[in-house]
Amino acid sequence: MASHLIQGRTITMPVRVTDATVCSAMYPVRADAARAVIAYSGLDVAEVVPGKAVCTLVFVEYRDSDLDSYHEFGVTFLVRPPGASRARSTGLATLRNAGAFVHWLPVDQGFTLEAGRTLWGFPKELADIELRLSSPYKRCILRKDGRLVVDMLVRPGVPVAGAAAATPLTAYTHQDGVTRRVPAKMWARGMRVRPGGALIRLGNHPIAKELSELGLPKRALMSTTLRASMTFGTAEAA
């Protein structure tokens, strides 16, 4: 088992998350605009329908993990595997092979910031992340450098049965000129899904401007809430 020393602590791979709440919303965005945003990575977006890519906004409360407890917000894009030709197929055929490129990943704790950047190349930055999860409506208020980035509200939908088995996931990161593939698994419980179901208000931070140039705010394709356990494996060059 590979192990790494982070701030004097030994972290063994895979990194485990025992309990987390995950809230997300998927948005259709122009594929050409999304390509411009992630061009630095060398990856290409997956088109779920011709000319349309998917940007997902997600906020997470990690209550119990190898990297302690913390809050996180993510801006990700569905991407095709590196080297794959641009498929003519769309829809489910594209989604089956797509991974998630993590474009921006603010957190509110220093240890997970250093671990995430060191172990996987995740683009973690410190930010103020206020989560309100005790009410039926799940809310995240994200501020960076004293400026509002996004205020996001997710309304849980109808329960989805099953989802007890491990779901393999592939995340991609880019740091210091290197794009990496991060294998992960998730065990979901209490999943709820709703068409639409999310509201966002953008602030005046540069990331908010970037999201507005993608066409947000707009109606989400779907929103999801769930409790989860996860593992994150060793990153490899993509």
Side-chain angles (χ1 to χ4, degrees), residues 142-211:
L142 169 63
R143 294 181 175 88
K144 171 73 175 166
D145 302 324
R147 301 162 72 179
L148 177 68
V149 181
V150 63
D151 184 348
M152 181 173 175
L153 191 73
V154 175
R155 181 184 179 189
V158 298
V160 177
T167 301
L169 306 170
T170 301
Y172 293 97
T173 69
H174 184 87
Q175 181 176 260
D176 299 328
V178 179
T179 298
R180 298 173 174 86
R181 176 184 176 276
V182 180
K185 293 181 180 178
M186 181 174 70
W187 291 261
R189 57 192 184 275
M191 180 184 291
R192 289 177 173 267
V193 176
R194 176 185 294 276
L199 295 174
I200 58 172
R201 178 171 64 92
L202 297 177
N204 62 353
H205 187 273
I207 292 292
K209 183 176 185 297
E210 188 174 74
L211 293 174

Side-chain angles (χ1 to χ4, degrees), residues 8 30 38 109 121 180 212 214:
R30 291 194 344 264
I38 70 167
Q109 298 295 326
R180 298 173 174 86
S212 72
L214 288 168

Side-chain angles (χ1 to χ4, degrees), residues 90-234:
T90 57
L92 293 178
T94 297
L95 293 175
R96 274 195 292 268
N97 297 318
F101 176 68
V102 183
H103 173 57
W104 194 52
L105 197 67
V107 294
D108 67 350
Q109 298 295 326
F111 182 75
T112 186
L113 181 148
E114 182 173 338
R117 296 184 69 89
T118 301
L119 299 178
W120 304 289
F122 280 124
K124 293 192 174 185
E125 302 178 14
L126 280 180
D128 296 318
I129 305 174
E130 179 185 351
L131 298 188
R132 303 178 185 177
L133 304 179
S134 59
S135 66
Y137 291 84
K138 313 304 179 186
R139 187 178 182 186
C140 172
I141 304 171
L142 169 63
R143 294 181 175 88
K144 171 73 175 166
D145 302 324
R147 301 162 72 179
L148 177 68
V149 181
V150 63
D151 184 348
M152 181 173 175
L153 191 73
V154 175
R155 181 184 179 189
V158 298
V160 177
T167 301
L169 306 170
T170 301
Y172 293 97
T173 69
H174 184 87
Q175 181 176 260
D176 299 328
V178 179
T179 298
R180 298 173 174 86
R181 176 184 176 276
V182 180
K185 293 181 180 178
M186 181 174 70
W187 291 261
R189 57 192 184 275
M191 180 184 291
R192 289 177 173 267
V193 176
R194 176 185 294 276
L199 295 174
I200 58 172
R201 178 171 64 92
L202 297 177
N204 62 353
H205 187 273
I207 292 292
K209 183 176 185 297
E210 188 174 74
L211 293 174
S212 72
E213 291 171 349
L214 288 168
L216 275 61
K218 66 193 310 184
R219 178 178 169 82
L221 286 172
M222 58 180 275
S223 58
T224 303
T225 60
L226 56 90
R227 295 281 292 271
S229 303
M230 313 174 208
T231 61
F232 294 88
T234 301

